[in-house]
Amino acid sequence: DIQMTQSPSSVSASIGDRVTITCRASQGVGTWLTWYQQKSGKAPKLLIYAVSSLQSGVPSRFSGSGSGTDFTLTISNLQPEDFATYYCQQANSFPLTFGGGTKVEIK
Amino acid sequence: QVQLQESGPGLVKPSETLSLTCSVSGGSINSFYWTWIRQAPGKGLQWIGYISYTGSTSYNPSLKSRVTISVDTSKNQFSLKLSSVTAADTAVYYCAREGPTVGNAYDFWGQGTMVTVSS
C-alpha cells in the first residue's frame, strides 16, 4: 500500500494567515493526488484534484502543488470557514489511501 | 445536483454482517464508479472499495475477505456488506461518487451513517 504522511498533524493559525500543509507519499503517485476538507460531523468535501485543479465552487485561496511524492496544499488569507481537517488522498494505485489529516485550528 | 444517502442499521452485533445501502438521486448510477469509505471515531479515512455501474469491483485487501459491494441499477442504489464484524468496524460509513472529470476524486458524498458494533 502507498502510505500518505501529512504534516503537521495540526496547525494553529489566525484569520488572514497563509497555511501550508504537506503530504508525502511512500512512492510516486503521478498526478493522482487529491485534497479534501472535512468539518466536524460532516462528510469530506473535494477541494483540489489532480494535484492542482480547483474543484468547481472552491475559493481560489486554496491551491495545490507538487509532484512525484511531495505535495502541498496552501490556504492563502485564511477565513473563519476554513477551520477544519484536511486530508490528502492518492488514487495512483489500489488500495486508495488517505493521509492522516491536518487539523487547522484557530490561534 | 447528485445526492447520495446511506441507510442501514446503526447497531450490529459482533460476528454478524453489516449491510448498508446508498441511494443515488439527481443522476443515474449508470455511469461512474461508486465507492464506500469509512472513518472510525476520531480517526482518518479508509477506502473500502468501489463498484462500477457494470458491476466491476475493487476492494481494500485489508477487508477483501469480508467485503461485498453490489449495485442495483433499477433502484439507482449500491450496497455494502461487511461480514464477521468486530468492534474495529465501528465507524461512520460514507458512500461517494468518483467524479467523471475530477481525476479519480470523489465529488459527491453521502452525509455518512454511524455504525456501532456491539452486543
Side-chain angles (χ1 to χ4, degrees), chain B residues 18-24 29 34-36 48-59 67-82 95:
Chain B
L18 177 161
S19 296
L20 297 174
T21 295
C22 182
S23 299
V24 180
I29 204 168
W34 304 90
T35 297
W36 287 98
I48 298 172
Y50 77 71
I51 190 165
S52 75
Y53 69 99
T54 63
S56 63
T57 57
S58 179
Y59 300 137
V67 171
T68 303
I69 299 176
S70 58
V71 65
D72 186 337
T73 56
S74 68
K75 294 183 178 179
N76 233 35
Q77 295 176 339
F78 64 107
S79 298
L80 169 71
K81 290 188 185 299
L82 182 65
C95 57

PDB file of all heavy atoms in Angstrom, chain B residues 18-24 29 34-36 48-59 67-82 95:
ATOM      1  N   LEU B  18     -22.678  -6.465   8.531  1.00  0.00           N
ATOM      2  CA  LEU B  18     -23.101  -5.078   8.385  1.00  0.00           C
ATOM      3  C   LEU B  18     -23.614  -4.897   6.963  1.00  0.00           C
ATOM      4  O   LEU B  18     -22.933  -5.306   5.999  1.00  0.00           O
ATOM      5  CB  LEU B  18     -21.897  -4.182   8.644  1.00  0.00           C
ATOM      6  CG  LEU B  18     -21.943  -2.672   8.522  1.00  0.00           C
ATOM      7  CD1 LEU B  18     -20.750  -2.064   9.298  1.00  0.00           C
ATOM      8  CD2 LEU B  18     -21.894  -2.198   7.083  1.00  0.00           C
ATOM      9  N   SER B  19     -24.792  -4.317   6.828  1.00  0.00           N
ATOM     10  CA  SER B  19     -25.371  -4.100   5.491  1.00  0.00           C
ATOM     11  C   SER B  19     -25.852  -2.655   5.365  1.00  0.00           C
ATOM     12  O   SER B  19     -26.669  -2.199   6.165  1.00  0.00           O
ATOM     13  CB  SER B  19     -26.553  -5.044   5.247  1.00  0.00           C
ATOM     14  OG  SER B  19     -26.137  -6.389   5.242  1.00  0.00           O
ATOM     15  N   LEU B  20     -25.332  -1.966   4.382  1.00  0.00           N
ATOM     16  CA  LEU B  20     -25.705  -0.582   4.122  1.00  0.00           C
ATOM     17  C   LEU B  20     -26.069  -0.404   2.648  1.00  0.00           C
ATOM     18  O   LEU B  20     -25.532  -1.092   1.785  1.00  0.00           O
ATOM     19  CB  LEU B  20     -24.560   0.365   4.471  1.00  0.00           C
ATOM     20  CG  LEU B  20     -24.108   0.411   5.930  1.00  0.00           C
ATOM     21  CD1 LEU B  20     -22.877   1.294   6.067  1.00  0.00           C
ATOM     22  CD2 LEU B  20     -25.218   0.913   6.825  1.00  0.00           C
ATOM     23  N   THR B  21     -26.953   0.546   2.414  1.00  0.00           N
ATOM     24  CA  THR B  21     -27.341   0.885   1.050  1.00  0.00           C
ATOM     25  C   THR B  21     -27.124   2.367   0.823  1.00  0.00           C
ATOM     26  O   THR B  21     -27.333   3.181   1.732  1.00  0.00           O
ATOM     27  CB  THR B  21     -28.817   0.534   0.805  1.00  0.00           C
ATOM     28  OG1 THR B  21     -28.970  -0.884   0.903  1.00  0.00           O
ATOM     29  CG2 THR B  21     -29.283   0.977  -0.572  1.00  0.00           C
ATOM     30  N   CYS B  22     -26.694   2.714  -0.364  1.00  0.00           N
ATOM     31  CA  CYS B  22     -26.537   4.103  -0.760  1.00  0.00           C
ATOM     32  C   CYS B  22     -27.490   4.384  -1.911  1.00  0.00           C
ATOM     33  O   CYS B  22     -27.398   3.762  -2.976  1.00  0.00           O
ATOM     34  CB  CYS B  22     -25.100   4.370  -1.196  1.00  0.00           C
ATOM     35  SG  CYS B  22     -24.791   6.084  -1.656  1.00  0.00           S
ATOM     36  N   SER B  23     -28.418   5.288  -1.688  1.00  0.00           N
ATOM     37  CA  SER B  23     -29.388   5.664  -2.720  1.00  0.00           C
ATOM     38  C   SER B  23     -28.908   6.923  -3.419  1.00  0.00           C
ATOM     39  O   SER B  23     -28.571   7.917  -2.761  1.00  0.00           O
ATOM     40  CB  SER B  23     -30.761   5.894  -2.093  1.00  0.00           C
ATOM     41  OG  SER B  23     -31.222   4.707  -1.471  1.00  0.00           O
ATOM     42  N   VAL B  24     -28.898   6.862  -4.730  1.00  0.00           N
ATOM     43  CA  VAL B  24     -28.420   7.970  -5.547  1.00  0.00           C
ATOM     44  C   VAL B  24     -29.611   8.671  -6.191  1.00  0.00           C
ATOM     45  O   VAL B  24     -30.460   8.021  -6.813  1.00  0.00           O
ATOM     46  CB  VAL B  24     -27.454   7.464  -6.630  1.00  0.00           C
ATOM     47  CG1 VAL B  24     -26.961   8.634  -7.493  1.00  0.00           C
ATOM     48  CG2 VAL B  24     -26.275   6.730  -5.987  1.00  0.00           C
ATOM     49  N   ILE B  29     -27.130   6.096 -11.817  1.00  0.00           N
ATOM     50  CA  ILE B  29     -25.999   5.311 -11.337  1.00  0.00           C
ATOM     51  C   ILE B  29     -25.328   4.604 -12.501  1.00  0.00           C
ATOM     52  O   ILE B  29     -24.271   3.975 -12.340  1.00  0.00           O
ATOM     53  CB  ILE B  29     -26.480   4.308 -10.255  1.00  0.00           C
ATOM     54  CG1 ILE B  29     -25.311   3.915  -9.340  1.00  0.00           C
ATOM     55  CG2 ILE B  29     -27.141   3.096 -10.902  1.00  0.00           C
ATOM     56  CD1 ILE B  29     -25.744   3.174  -8.104  1.00  0.00           C
ATOM     57  N   TRP B  34     -18.686   3.972  -7.926  1.00  0.00           N
ATOM     58  CA  TRP B  34     -19.374   4.273  -6.681  1.00  0.00           C
ATOM     59  C   TRP B  34     -18.633   3.586  -5.547  1.00  0.00           C
ATOM     60  O   TRP B  34     -18.340   2.398  -5.626  1.00  0.00           O
ATOM     61  CB  TRP B  34     -20.825   3.824  -6.789  1.00  0.00           C
ATOM     62  CG  TRP B  34     -21.496   4.465  -7.967  1.00  0.00           C
ATOM     63  CD1 TRP B  34     -21.563   3.971  -9.246  1.00  0.00           C
ATOM     64  CD2 TRP B  34     -22.118   5.759  -7.994  1.00  0.00           C
ATOM     65  NE1 TRP B  34     -22.209   4.875 -10.060  1.00  0.00           N
ATOM     66  CE2 TRP B  34     -22.568   5.969  -9.323  1.00  0.00           C
ATOM     67  CE3 TRP B  34     -22.364   6.743  -7.038  1.00  0.00           C
ATOM     68  CZ2 TRP B  34     -23.235   7.128  -9.704  1.00  0.00           C
ATOM     69  CZ3 TRP B  34     -23.028   7.887  -7.420  1.00  0.00           C
ATOM     70  CH2 TRP B  34     -23.453   8.080  -8.726  1.00  0.00           C
ATOM     71  N   THR B  35     -18.374   4.334  -4.502  1.00  0.00           N
ATOM     72  CA  THR B  35     -17.367   3.935  -3.514  1.00  0.00           C
ATOM     73  C   THR B  35     -17.915   3.959  -2.093  1.00  0.00           C
ATOM     74  O   THR B  35     -18.811   4.747  -1.775  1.00  0.00           O
ATOM     75  CB  THR B  35     -16.180   4.911  -3.621  1.00  0.00           C
ATOM     76  OG1 THR B  35     -15.589   4.794  -4.915  1.00  0.00           O
ATOM     77  CG2 THR B  35     -15.128   4.649  -2.556  1.00  0.00           C
ATOM     78  N   TRP B  36     -17.331   3.111  -1.269  1.00  0.00           N
ATOM     79  CA  TRP B  36     -17.581   3.158   0.169  1.00  0.00           C
ATOM     80  C   TRP B  36     -16.278   3.514   0.883  1.00  0.00           C
ATOM     81  O   TRP B  36     -15.213   2.960   0.572  1.00  0.00           O
ATOM     82  CB  TRP B  36     -18.099   1.819   0.689  1.00  0.00           C
ATOM     83  CG  TRP B  36     -19.510   1.527   0.290  1.00  0.00           C
ATOM     84  CD1 TRP B  36     -19.926   0.749  -0.754  1.00  0.00           C
ATOM     85  CD2 TRP B  36     -20.703   2.016   0.932  1.00  0.00           C
ATOM     86  NE1 TRP B  36     -21.304   0.720  -0.806  1.00  0.00           N
ATOM     87  CE2 TRP B  36     -21.803   1.496   0.218  1.00  0.00           C
ATOM     88  CE3 TRP B  36     -20.958   2.831   2.036  1.00  0.00           C
ATOM     89  CZ2 TRP B  36     -23.126   1.762   0.568  1.00  0.00           C
ATOM     90  CZ3 TRP B  36     -22.270   3.105   2.383  1.00  0.00           C
ATOM     91  CH2 TRP B  36     -23.336   2.568   1.658  1.00  0.00           C
ATOM     92  N   ILE B  48     -12.805   1.586   1.373  1.00  0.00           N
ATOM     93  CA  ILE B  48     -13.262   0.203   1.486  1.00  0.00           C
ATOM     94  C   ILE B  48     -13.273  -0.474   0.118  1.00  0.00           C
ATOM     95  O   ILE B  48     -12.808  -1.611  -0.035  1.00  0.00           O
ATOM     96  CB  ILE B  48     -14.678   0.152   2.095  1.00  0.00           C
ATOM     97  CG1 ILE B  48     -14.676   0.742   3.505  1.00  0.00           C
ATOM     98  CG2 ILE B  48     -15.213  -1.279   2.086  1.00  0.00           C
ATOM     99  CD1 ILE B  48     -16.065   0.915   4.105  1.00  0.00           C
ATOM    100  N   GLY B  49     -13.805   0.215  -0.874  1.00  0.00           N
ATOM    101  CA  GLY B  49     -13.849  -0.362  -2.206  1.00  0.00           C
ATOM    102  C   GLY B  49     -14.825   0.365  -3.094  1.00  0.00           C
ATOM    103  O   GLY B  49     -15.525   1.277  -2.654  1.00  0.00           O
ATOM    104  N   TYR B  50     -14.851  -0.048  -4.363  1.00  0.00           N
ATOM    105  CA  TYR B  50     -15.777   0.583  -5.301  1.00  0.00           C
ATOM    106  C   TYR B  50     -16.444  -0.448  -6.187  1.00  0.00           C
ATOM    107  O   TYR B  50     -16.002  -1.593  -6.287  1.00  0.00           O
ATOM    108  CB  TYR B  50     -15.067   1.631  -6.172  1.00  0.00           C
ATOM    109  CG  TYR B  50     -14.217   1.079  -7.308  1.00  0.00           C
ATOM    110  CD1 TYR B  50     -14.788   0.486  -8.432  1.00  0.00           C
ATOM    111  CD2 TYR B  50     -12.834   1.192  -7.278  1.00  0.00           C
ATOM    112  CE1 TYR B  50     -14.025  -0.010  -9.468  1.00  0.00           C
ATOM    113  CE2 TYR B  50     -12.056   0.702  -8.308  1.00  0.00           C
ATOM    114  CZ  TYR B  50     -12.651   0.104  -9.399  1.00  0.00           C
ATOM    115  OH  TYR B  50     -11.888  -0.377 -10.434  1.00  0.00           O
ATOM    116  N   ILE B  51     -17.509   0.010  -6.836  1.00  0.00           N
ATOM    117  CA  ILE B  51     -18.176  -0.766  -7.863  1.00  0.00           C
ATOM    118  C   ILE B  51     -18.501   0.171  -9.011  1.00  0.00           C
ATOM    119  O   ILE B  51     -18.851   1.329  -8.803  1.00  0.00           O
ATOM    120  CB  ILE B  51     -19.447  -1.460  -7.328  1.00  0.00           C
ATOM    121  CG1 ILE B  51     -19.987  -2.454  -8.357  1.00  0.00           C
ATOM    122  CG2 ILE B  51     -20.517  -0.451  -6.914  1.00  0.00           C
ATOM    123  CD1 ILE B  51     -21.005  -3.432  -7.776  1.00  0.00           C
ATOM    124  N   SER B  52     -18.381  -0.340 -10.206  1.00  0.00           N
ATOM    125  CA  SER B  52     -18.799   0.433 -11.369  1.00  0.00           C
ATOM    126  C   SER B  52     -20.235   0.070 -11.711  1.00  0.00           C
ATOM    127  O   SER B  52     -20.763  -0.937 -11.227  1.00  0.00           O
ATOM    128  CB  SER B  52     -17.888   0.151 -12.553  1.00  0.00           C
ATOM    129  OG  SER B  52     -18.204  -1.132 -13.088  1.00  0.00           O
ATOM    130  N   TYR B  53     -20.829   0.857 -12.572  1.00  0.00           N
ATOM    131  CA  TYR B  53     -22.220   0.572 -12.940  1.00  0.00           C
ATOM    132  C   TYR B  53     -22.333  -0.764 -13.693  1.00  0.00           C
ATOM    133  O   TYR B  53     -23.395  -1.355 -13.747  1.00  0.00           O
ATOM    134  CB  TYR B  53     -22.784   1.712 -13.788  1.00  0.00           C
ATOM    135  CG  TYR B  53     -22.177   1.824 -15.160  1.00  0.00           C
ATOM    136  CD1 TYR B  53     -22.828   1.304 -16.274  1.00  0.00           C
ATOM    137  CD2 TYR B  53     -20.948   2.446 -15.349  1.00  0.00           C
ATOM    138  CE1 TYR B  53     -22.269   1.411 -17.536  1.00  0.00           C
ATOM    139  CE2 TYR B  53     -20.393   2.552 -16.593  1.00  0.00           C
ATOM    140  CZ  TYR B  53     -21.043   2.030 -17.684  1.00  0.00           C
ATOM    141  OH  TYR B  53     -20.478   2.132 -18.923  1.00  0.00           O
ATOM    142  N   THR B  54     -21.204  -1.213 -14.225  1.00  0.00           N
ATOM    143  CA  THR B  54     -21.213  -2.514 -14.908  1.00  0.00           C
ATOM    144  C   THR B  54     -21.055  -3.666 -13.932  1.00  0.00           C
ATOM    145  O   THR B  54     -21.191  -4.821 -14.304  1.00  0.00           O
ATOM    146  CB  THR B  54     -20.086  -2.589 -15.940  1.00  0.00           C
ATOM    147  OG1 THR B  54     -18.837  -2.479 -15.247  1.00  0.00           O
ATOM    148  CG2 THR B  54     -20.213  -1.491 -16.971  1.00  0.00           C
ATOM    149  N   GLY B  55     -20.726  -3.321 -12.683  1.00  0.00           N
ATOM    150  CA  GLY B  55     -20.576  -4.354 -11.675  1.00  0.00           C
ATOM    151  C   GLY B  55     -19.149  -4.754 -11.354  1.00  0.00           C
ATOM    152  O   GLY B  55     -18.925  -5.601 -10.495  1.00  0.00           O
ATOM    153  N   SER B  56     -18.182  -4.162 -12.025  1.00  0.00           N
ATOM    154  CA  SER B  56     -16.800  -4.494 -11.684  1.00  0.00           C
ATOM    155  C   SER B  56     -16.449  -3.867 -10.342  1.00  0.00           C
ATOM    156  O   SER B  56     -16.912  -2.764 -10.019  1.00  0.00           O
ATOM    157  CB  SER B  56     -15.841  -3.999 -12.765  1.00  0.00           C
ATOM    158  OG  SER B  56     -15.879  -2.593 -12.860  1.00  0.00           O
ATOM    159  N   THR B  57     -15.650  -4.569  -9.568  1.00  0.00           N
ATOM    160  CA  THR B  57     -15.347  -4.129  -8.202  1.00  0.00           C
ATOM    161  C   THR B  57     -13.849  -4.144  -7.916  1.00  0.00           C
ATOM    162  O   THR B  57     -13.065  -4.821  -8.589  1.00  0.00           O
ATOM    163  CB  THR B  57     -16.031  -5.043  -7.174  1.00  0.00           C
ATOM    164  OG1 THR B  57     -15.613  -6.392  -7.406  1.00  0.00           O
ATOM    165  CG2 THR B  57     -17.538  -4.938  -7.237  1.00  0.00           C
ATOM    166  N   SER B  58     -13.486  -3.382  -6.892  1.00  0.00           N
ATOM    167  CA  SER B  58     -12.152  -3.429  -6.325  1.00  0.00           C
ATOM    168  C   SER B  58     -12.304  -3.174  -4.839  1.00  0.00           C
ATOM    169  O   SER B  58     -13.036  -2.265  -4.443  1.00  0.00           O
ATOM    170  CB  SER B  58     -11.244  -2.378  -6.969  1.00  0.00           C
ATOM    171  OG  SER B  58      -9.957  -2.421  -6.395  1.00  0.00           O
ATOM    172  N   TYR B  59     -11.601  -3.973  -4.048  1.00  0.00           N
ATOM    173  CA  TYR B  59     -11.741  -3.875  -2.606  1.00  0.00           C
ATOM    174  C   TYR B  59     -10.381  -3.633  -1.949  1.00  0.00           C
ATOM    175  O   TYR B  59      -9.336  -4.034  -2.472  1.00  0.00           O
ATOM    176  CB  TYR B  59     -12.332  -5.163  -2.034  1.00  0.00           C
ATOM    177  CG  TYR B  59     -13.694  -5.540  -2.557  1.00  0.00           C
ATOM    178  CD1 TYR B  59     -13.984  -6.861  -2.903  1.00  0.00           C
ATOM    179  CD2 TYR B  59     -14.697  -4.596  -2.716  1.00  0.00           C
ATOM    180  CE1 TYR B  59     -15.234  -7.229  -3.364  1.00  0.00           C
ATOM    181  CE2 TYR B  59     -15.951  -4.948  -3.195  1.00  0.00           C
ATOM    182  CZ  TYR B  59     -16.214  -6.267  -3.516  1.00  0.00           C
ATOM    183  OH  TYR B  59     -17.456  -6.620  -3.987  1.00  0.00           O
ATOM    184  N   VAL B  67     -15.718  -8.216   2.484  1.00  0.00           N
ATOM    185  CA  VAL B  67     -16.495  -7.150   1.832  1.00  0.00           C
ATOM    186  C   VAL B  67     -17.147  -7.620   0.539  1.00  0.00           C
ATOM    187  O   VAL B  67     -16.524  -8.334  -0.255  1.00  0.00           O
ATOM    188  CB  VAL B  67     -15.586  -5.944   1.515  1.00  0.00           C
ATOM    189  CG1 VAL B  67     -16.321  -4.925   0.643  1.00  0.00           C
ATOM    190  CG2 VAL B  67     -15.130  -5.282   2.792  1.00  0.00           C
ATOM    191  N   THR B  68     -18.378  -7.175   0.350  1.00  0.00           N
ATOM    192  CA  THR B  68     -19.049  -7.316  -0.937  1.00  0.00           C
ATOM    193  C   THR B  68     -19.770  -6.008  -1.241  1.00  0.00           C
ATOM    194  O   THR B  68     -20.526  -5.511  -0.398  1.00  0.00           O
ATOM    195  CB  THR B  68     -20.078  -8.457  -0.932  1.00  0.00           C
ATOM    196  OG1 THR B  68     -19.446  -9.678  -0.576  1.00  0.00           O
ATOM    197  CG2 THR B  68     -20.714  -8.604  -2.314  1.00  0.00           C
ATOM    198  N   ILE B  69     -19.496  -5.456  -2.399  1.00  0.00           N
ATOM    199  CA  ILE B  69     -20.211  -4.268  -2.872  1.00  0.00           C
ATOM    200  C   ILE B  69     -20.989  -4.672  -4.112  1.00  0.00           C
ATOM    201  O   ILE B  69     -20.447  -5.314  -5.005  1.00  0.00           O
ATOM    202  CB  ILE B  69     -19.258  -3.100  -3.179  1.00  0.00           C
ATOM    203  CG1 ILE B  69     -18.500  -2.700  -1.906  1.00  0.00           C
ATOM    204  CG2 ILE B  69     -20.029  -1.910  -3.731  1.00  0.00           C
ATOM    205  CD1 ILE B  69     -17.447  -1.617  -2.121  1.00  0.00           C
ATOM    206  N   SER B  70     -22.257  -4.301  -4.134  1.00  0.00           N
ATOM    207  CA  SER B  70     -23.115  -4.653  -5.259  1.00  0.00           C
ATOM    208  C   SER B  70     -23.889  -3.426  -5.724  1.00  0.00           C
ATOM    209  O   SER B  70     -23.975  -2.425  -5.006  1.00  0.00           O
ATOM    210  CB  SER B  70     -24.084  -5.771  -4.869  1.00  0.00           C
ATOM    211  OG  SER B  70     -24.877  -5.368  -3.772  1.00  0.00           O
ATOM    212  N   VAL B  71     -24.431  -3.500  -6.921  1.00  0.00           N
ATOM    213  CA  VAL B  71     -25.184  -2.381  -7.484  1.00  0.00           C
ATOM    214  C   VAL B  71     -26.525  -2.872  -8.003  1.00  0.00           C
ATOM    215  O   VAL B  71     -26.635  -3.973  -8.525  1.00  0.00           O
ATOM    216  CB  VAL B  71     -24.373  -1.681  -8.604  1.00  0.00           C
ATOM    217  CG1 VAL B  71     -24.153  -2.612  -9.786  1.00  0.00           C
ATOM    218  CG2 VAL B  71     -25.038  -0.383  -9.024  1.00  0.00           C
ATOM    219  N   ASP B  72     -27.533  -2.045  -7.803  1.00  0.00           N
ATOM    220  CA  ASP B  72     -28.866  -2.315  -8.341  1.00  0.00           C
ATOM    221  C   ASP B  72     -29.245  -1.103  -9.189  1.00  0.00           C
ATOM    222  O   ASP B  72     -29.735  -0.103  -8.666  1.00  0.00           O
ATOM    223  CB  ASP B  72     -29.870  -2.528  -7.216  1.00  0.00           C
ATOM    224  CG  ASP B  72     -31.246  -2.965  -7.717  1.00  0.00           C
ATOM    225  OD1 ASP B  72     -31.564  -2.687  -8.901  1.00  0.00           O
ATOM    226  OD2 ASP B  72     -31.998  -3.554  -6.943  1.00  0.00           O
ATOM    227  N   THR B  73     -28.996  -1.207 -10.467  1.00  0.00           N
ATOM    228  CA  THR B  73     -29.233  -0.060 -11.346  1.00  0.00           C
ATOM    229  C   THR B  73     -30.713   0.266 -11.458  1.00  0.00           C
ATOM    230  O   THR B  73     -31.073   1.424 -11.677  1.00  0.00           O
ATOM    231  CB  THR B  73     -28.632  -0.309 -12.739  1.00  0.00           C
ATOM    232  OG1 THR B  73     -29.171  -1.531 -13.262  1.00  0.00           O
ATOM    233  CG2 THR B  73     -27.119  -0.415 -12.666  1.00  0.00           C
ATOM    234  N   SER B  74     -31.577  -0.722 -11.285  1.00  0.00           N
ATOM    235  CA  SER B  74     -33.022  -0.468 -11.384  1.00  0.00           C
ATOM    236  C   SER B  74     -33.519   0.425 -10.252  1.00  0.00           C
ATOM    237  O   SER B  74     -34.504   1.136 -10.395  1.00  0.00           O
ATOM    238  CB  SER B  74     -33.793  -1.785 -11.405  1.00  0.00           C
ATOM    239  OG  SER B  74     -33.691  -2.445 -10.161  1.00  0.00           O
ATOM    240  N   LYS B  75     -32.824   0.354  -9.127  1.00  0.00           N
ATOM    241  CA  LYS B  75     -33.206   1.170  -7.969  1.00  0.00           C
ATOM    242  C   LYS B  75     -32.282   2.375  -7.787  1.00  0.00           C
ATOM    243  O   LYS B  75     -32.474   3.160  -6.859  1.00  0.00           O
ATOM    244  CB  LYS B  75     -33.196   0.321  -6.702  1.00  0.00           C
ATOM    245  CG  LYS B  75     -34.243  -0.779  -6.669  1.00  0.00           C
ATOM    246  CD  LYS B  75     -34.199  -1.527  -5.346  1.00  0.00           C
ATOM    247  CE  LYS B  75     -35.269  -2.606  -5.276  1.00  0.00           C
ATOM    248  NZ  LYS B  75     -35.215  -3.363  -3.993  1.00  0.00           N
ATOM    249  N   ASN B  76     -31.287   2.493  -8.647  1.00  0.00           N
ATOM    250  CA  ASN B  76     -30.286   3.557  -8.510  1.00  0.00           C
ATOM    251  C   ASN B  76     -29.619   3.519  -7.139  1.00  0.00           C
ATOM    252  O   ASN B  76     -29.456   4.548  -6.463  1.00  0.00           O
ATOM    253  CB  ASN B  76     -30.904   4.937  -8.752  1.00  0.00           C
ATOM    254  CG  ASN B  76     -30.154   5.736  -9.797  1.00  0.00           C
ATOM    255  OD1 ASN B  76     -29.631   5.183 -10.774  1.00  0.00           O
ATOM    256  ND2 ASN B  76     -30.078   7.032  -9.608  1.00  0.00           N
ATOM    257  N   GLN B  77     -29.233   2.321  -6.752  1.00  0.00           N
ATOM    258  CA  GLN B  77     -28.631   2.115  -5.443  1.00  0.00           C
ATOM    259  C   GLN B  77     -27.403   1.210  -5.563  1.00  0.00           C
ATOM    260  O   GLN B  77     -27.308   0.398  -6.488  1.00  0.00           O
ATOM    261  CB  GLN B  77     -29.612   1.409  -4.493  1.00  0.00           C
ATOM    262  CG  GLN B  77     -30.843   2.178  -4.125  1.00  0.00           C
ATOM    263  CD  GLN B  77     -31.803   1.363  -3.261  1.00  0.00           C
ATOM    264  OE1 GLN B  77     -31.752   0.127  -3.241  1.00  0.00           O
ATOM    265  NE2 GLN B  77     -32.668   2.057  -2.546  1.00  0.00           N
ATOM    266  N   PHE B  78     -26.509   1.333  -4.607  1.00  0.00           N
ATOM    267  CA  PHE B  78     -25.459   0.350  -4.451  1.00  0.00           C
ATOM    268  C   PHE B  78     -25.317   0.042  -2.965  1.00  0.00           C
ATOM    269  O   PHE B  78     -25.760   0.826  -2.114  1.00  0.00           O
ATOM    270  CB  PHE B  78     -24.145   0.785  -5.099  1.00  0.00           C
ATOM    271  CG  PHE B  78     -23.485   2.008  -4.515  1.00  0.00           C
ATOM    272  CD1 PHE B  78     -22.337   1.903  -3.741  1.00  0.00           C
ATOM    273  CD2 PHE B  78     -23.969   3.282  -4.789  1.00  0.00           C
ATOM    274  CE1 PHE B  78     -21.698   3.017  -3.239  1.00  0.00           C
ATOM    275  CE2 PHE B  78     -23.347   4.412  -4.294  1.00  0.00           C
ATOM    276  CZ  PHE B  78     -22.205   4.285  -3.506  1.00  0.00           C
ATOM    277  N   SER B  79     -24.746  -1.107  -2.680  1.00  0.00           N
ATOM    278  CA  SER B  79     -24.779  -1.609  -1.312  1.00  0.00           C
ATOM    279  C   SER B  79     -23.428  -2.126  -0.856  1.00  0.00           C
ATOM    280  O   SER B  79     -22.572  -2.491  -1.666  1.00  0.00           O
ATOM    281  CB  SER B  79     -25.819  -2.735  -1.200  1.00  0.00           C
ATOM    282  OG  SER B  79     -27.106  -2.250  -1.507  1.00  0.00           O
ATOM    283  N   LEU B  80     -23.290  -2.175   0.453  1.00  0.00           N
ATOM    284  CA  LEU B  80     -22.087  -2.685   1.109  1.00  0.00           C
ATOM    285  C   LEU B  80     -22.486  -3.769   2.086  1.00  0.00           C
ATOM    286  O   LEU B  80     -23.431  -3.590   2.858  1.00  0.00           O
ATOM    287  CB  LEU B  80     -21.377  -1.558   1.870  1.00  0.00           C
ATOM    288  CG  LEU B  80     -20.255  -1.981   2.827  1.00  0.00           C
ATOM    289  CD1 LEU B  80     -19.050  -2.467   2.041  1.00  0.00           C
ATOM    290  CD2 LEU B  80     -19.860  -0.811   3.742  1.00  0.00           C
ATOM    291  N   LYS B  81     -21.789  -4.873   2.029  1.00  0.00           N
ATOM    292  CA  LYS B  81     -21.919  -5.898   3.052  1.00  0.00           C
ATOM    293  C   LYS B  81     -20.539  -6.186   3.604  1.00  0.00           C
ATOM    294  O   LYS B  81     -19.593  -6.397   2.840  1.00  0.00           O
ATOM    295  CB  LYS B  81     -22.546  -7.183   2.500  1.00  0.00           C
ATOM    296  CG  LYS B  81     -24.023  -7.037   2.141  1.00  0.00           C
ATOM    297  CD  LYS B  81     -24.650  -8.368   1.787  1.00  0.00           C
ATOM    298  CE  LYS B  81     -26.083  -8.206   1.311  1.00  0.00           C
ATOM    299  NZ  LYS B  81     -26.957  -7.605   2.357  1.00  0.00           N
ATOM    300  N   LEU B  82     -20.434  -6.172   4.927  1.00  0.00           N
ATOM    301  CA  LEU B  82     -19.178  -6.457   5.616  1.00  0.00           C
ATOM    302  C   LEU B  82     -19.478  -7.532   6.647  1.00  0.00           C
ATOM    303  O   LEU B  82     -20.250  -7.307   7.584  1.00  0.00           O
ATOM    304  CB  LEU B  82     -18.637  -5.196   6.276  1.00  0.00           C
ATOM    305  CG  LEU B  82     -17.301  -5.321   7.008  1.00  0.00           C
ATOM    306  CD1 LEU B  82     -16.181  -5.645   6.025  1.00  0.00           C
ATOM    307  CD2 LEU B  82     -16.975  -4.039   7.775  1.00  0.00           C
ATOM    308  N   CYS B  95     -20.817   6.792   1.525  1.00  0.00           N
ATOM    309  CA  CYS B  95     -20.782   6.417   0.118  1.00  0.00           C
ATOM    310  C   CYS B  95     -20.418   7.675  -0.676  1.00  0.00           C
ATOM    311  O   CYS B  95     -20.694   8.802  -0.245  1.00  0.00           O
ATOM    312  CB  CYS B  95     -22.087   5.808  -0.360  1.00  0.00           C
ATOM    313  SG  CYS B  95     -23.582   6.808  -0.140  1.00  0.00           S
TER     314      CYS B  95
END
